[in-house]
Amino acid sequence: MDPVEREASERAIRALCEAGDHAAATTAALRAYGVELLGFLRALAADPDLAAEAFGELGEDVWKGLPKFRWEASLRSWLYALARNA
């Protein structure tokens, strides 16, 4: 995703959050960055099963954490921090 698309995507996801639709915002965030994050997790884990398990944990972390995300950093940066911790 190029920077212009990323900016538009993050604006749309933030608008969903501000409207209180965190389920749709979580879905949109994982659609926008899921492939990229799964690739990151596969590179870290070097085991596809472990990476898939971490991705599932990441999804849960996004679901729980997005309502509290304060947008002081980019969504992408926050998602990578969650992925590293998953």
Side-chain angles (χ1 to χ4, degrees), residues 3 16 19 22 29-30 36 39 45 55 60 62 66 68 76:
L16 288 168
H22 296 104
L30 292 174
E36 180 180 340
F55 187 77
E60 185 177 336
V62 174
L66 195 55
K68 297 176 258 180
R76 183 172 180 256

Side-chain angles (χ1 to χ4, degrees), residues 10-79:
E10 293 209 9
R11 275 196 312 272
I13 294 165
R14 185 172 187 170
L16 288 168
C17 287
E18 289 172 352
D21 194 351
H22 296 104
T26 298
T27 299
L30 292 174
R31 280 191 179 142
Y33 296 109
V35 172
E36 180 180 340
L37 292 165
L38 182 56
F40 174 72
L41 290 169
R42 282 183 175 161
L44 284 179
D47 176 353
D49 292 333
L50 187 58
E53 186 177 324
F55 187 77
E57 188 176 317
L58 169 64
E60 185 177 336
D61 291 344
V62 174
W63 179 269
K64 290 178 180 177
L66 195 55
K68 297 176 258 180
F69 182 57
R70 295 183 309 219
W71 300 93
E72 292 174 354
S74 72
L75 177 64
R76 183 172 180 256
S77 295
W78 180 69
L79 292 170

